[in-house]
Amino acid sequence: MTPLFPVTIADGKVDMDLVLQLYDRLDTAVWIFDFDHKRYLWANKKTLEITEAESLEELQSRDLAADMSPAVEQRLRQYQQDFKKSDTSFSEIWTLYPKGKPKVLQIAMSGVRLRDGRMGLLCEGREHHEQQPETLRSAEALLHTTVMISLFSRQGEPLYRNTASRAACVSLETQFQDQFVHPEDVQSIFDVVDRERSLKFVAQMKTNAGAKWHELTIRACHDAVSGQDAYLVSEIDVTELHETKERAQYLASHDTLTGLSNRTYLQERLTQILDVAKRNDQTATLYLLDLDDFKLVNDSLGHAAGDVLLQLVAEELKALAGPDDVIARLGGDEFLMCHLEKPGEEEPGWFGRALLDSFSKPRMIEGKQRQIGLSLGYAHFPDDGETVDELMRHADLALYQAKSDPNNKCIQFRDRMRRLRDEHRAIKKDLERALKEDQFVLYYQPIACTRTDRVVSGEALLRWQHPERGLIGPDEFIQIAEDTGLINDIGTWVAEQVANLQRRMHNLQNSVPLALNVSPRQLSDSAFLTLMQSLPFETGCTPGRISLEITESVILGDIPNARETLTSLKNCGYQIVIDDFGTGYSNLAYLHNYPIDGIKIDRMFMEDVESGGEIVKLILSLANALGANVVAEGVESIEQRSWLSQNGCNRYQGYLYSKPVPEERFLSMLETQSKIAAM
Ligand code: C2E
Ligand code: CA
Ligand code: CA
């Protein structure tokens, strides 16, 4: 309990006069200060001396509020609060200015309960001579600063708090560790301070104004009074900064529509998950999912409906995901989820199946029940990939497969790979047999003149006469032949066939030049050049009447020595033609550096022709400048042909004239043509 004034003596008798006389004999200034009226209530003689007061009455009449700074006022209010809360005392060095002269006092302060129940301030002051100005200033600074400074014993008991710290703390007795909103980490904080001597960090602290973010600096030190080991803690309130930063970080890392993470911080989060999985010997699954026909929803129902749909999916993902899982929207209608598996959990893929299951029921969108289609691809850590990149790539491949498979909407990378590998193996074996058993045939597609509609040349196109599957087009096997290297043997067969036909055409009146396709892999094989150089001698063909069609990728650099090989082929007399022009980098400039005789404009540009043909006009004028002849591919309509004819493109190839046909049919077309010409 705060002691009452005046002091009562044990046996109940109080000799007030004696007590007051004793006070007047003290060499210590003792006075009582009225917090509320900012006046001296009572003072002993020594106080009058120090304050240069004529009498107690004169001292009592002084109005200290008149020239009291707001900082001092605030400090006094704080003391008043502190004393109300607990029976405590403080010692500070004050500078008083009685009659304008500075007097430095070491003052011990404590609270006294006044007769009327209010809290007064009991001060005991000794003149303080030996203080250095610097010490004084630093003591003043400690009082005035907004930095919360406190000293704690090693056990966390508060030994000292400056004004700012007292103003902020929940209670003066609160132990160091109890000030933290998350006290779990405190032991490790002490450990670090003991080791490193000091530590700076930001933590959420309990204060009398609620939870606040403080930046704390903790130093190991000694308590100057007791000499015991202690921690000196200074804190500043960084709540505003922290919240702004957190908000900015949230906005930068989250998708505003769904509240899920966005792509930005994903890499970091996923790397963390994989690190945890590696450390704890856990497995994880990375899913990619994509809405089916999302564009259709957006286009037909509007973007608001599209947004609702995306939110529905995000909600479902949140409901299914655990606290350690990562879910994110990658953009558009693409989502990602990474799930860390616990030992004994269901086999990977359960999450995808659960999600599909939940969307098997129609959902309400724009007031109507609608069926939402999803496709999922996933890759399992560590079997299907060990890095974030690898897992993402593999899940993406699996997703691609799921999108085109109506019966399996949740596919694991491994399944897809296995299927592709098996397919490849089977086709490779089949292709080897096809070569041996002569199952390949060449069809020829005529290339005609846009003005006269006469056949001016023919392109050899490969077909596979499969014993069970019938006639198979090159799109189904050329890539596999490339991947397995079989294209070299197949290509040799094609070149020999074309050379032989060309030779046989010598004797025909209606002979036209022929073209054959050469794949990049063939060009990079030195045996191809040797073969082409030997063909004129072995078959008697005329290389000048054979075009080799190569794709832009050959020229654009993936093939070593491309230019040298092409130059050698050119020197043999073959014509070099760029196929599918415009699908690569569409840059005619590079043609300068290569021995190019012609280009074939890819059939996708026939659409451009229908809308003015600006691009085709450009290609034509550039080709003209380079002296290259041009064939337009994929011509299907009379309008396209007349446009080409009007715009100076003389050659065309396409279903309008003829589809690729068997060799005999091609030859009979030529024969008919020469008969008509002779008529
Ligand atoms: P490509 O060299 O661009 O051949 C033209 C493709 O377009 C042919 O497909 C042809 O049938 C098709 N086509 C022709 N006119 C039209 C049309 O008006 N409309 C449409 N929609 N398509 C048309 P095909 O025969 O299926 O050949 C596909 C690709 O396979 C060829 O494209 C070529 O890159 C490759 N290929 C064919 N034969 C061989 C070969 O012997 N060796 C190599 N390495 N590749 C070949
Ligand atoms: Ca071609
Ligand atoms: Ca082509």
Side-chain angles (χ1 to χ4, degrees), residues 442-443 445 459-463 473-478 482 487 490-491 493-495 498 516-520 522 549 551 579-580 600 602-603 606 633-637 640 653-660:
L442 282 181
Y443 273 39
Q445 187 175 31
E459 176 184 3
L461 291 161
L462 190 60
R463 300 289 180 265
D475 286 340
E476 278 188 58
F477 61 87
I478 284 285
E482 280 253 321
I487 192 71
I490 297 175
W493 180 84
V494 171
V498 173
L516 67 109
N517 293 284
V518 179
S519 83
Q522 281 173 276
E549 297 190 2
T551 50
D579 204 357
D580 303 341
K600 295 180 80 173
D602 191 76
R603 72 163 182 268
M606 285 310 106
E633 290 192 290
V635 178
E636 294 183 355
S637 72
Q640 288 168 346
Q653 179 180 2
Y655 293 170
L656 174 65
Y657 191 88
S658 167
K659 288 198 169 185

Side-chain angles (χ1 to χ4, degrees), residues 362-413:
R363 298 299 177 96
M364 193 65 112
I365 297 171
E366 293 281 290
K368 248 191 170 172
Q369 294 285 342
R370 292 175 204 276
Q371 193 62 51
I372 297 167
L374 291 178
S375 301
L376 287 115
Y378 64 96
H380 195 237
F381 170 87
D383 314 335
D384 296 342
E386 296 200 15
T387 64
V388 172
D389 275 1
E390 212 174 5
L391 288 169
M392 289 275 260
R393 241 182 317 113
H394 290 173
D396 196 46
L397 281 171
L399 172 63
Y400 182 74
Q401 170 96 7
K403 286 223 76 119
S404 56
D405 189 338
N407 301 316
N408 192 356
K409 299 311 278 171
C410 179
I411 291 183
Q412 183 174 0
F413 169 69

Side-chain angles (χ1 to χ4, degrees), residues 66 162 191 210 223 239 244 326 337 371 375 384 421 471 623 651:
N162 77 342
D191 291 346
D223 173 21
T239 307
T244 327
V326 173
M337 139 93 182
Q371 193 62 51
S375 301
D384 296 342
R421 206 180 47 214
L471 198 65
R651 292 163 180 215

Side-chain angles (χ1 to χ4, degrees), residues 653-673:
Q653 179 180 2
Y655 293 170
L656 174 65
Y657 191 88
S658 167
K659 288 198 169 185
V661 293
E663 185 186 302
E664 311 80 69
R665 172 97 186 84
F666 177 62
L667 290 174
S668 72
M669 280 166 92
L670 289 178
E671 205 174 328
T672 317
Q673 179 168 288

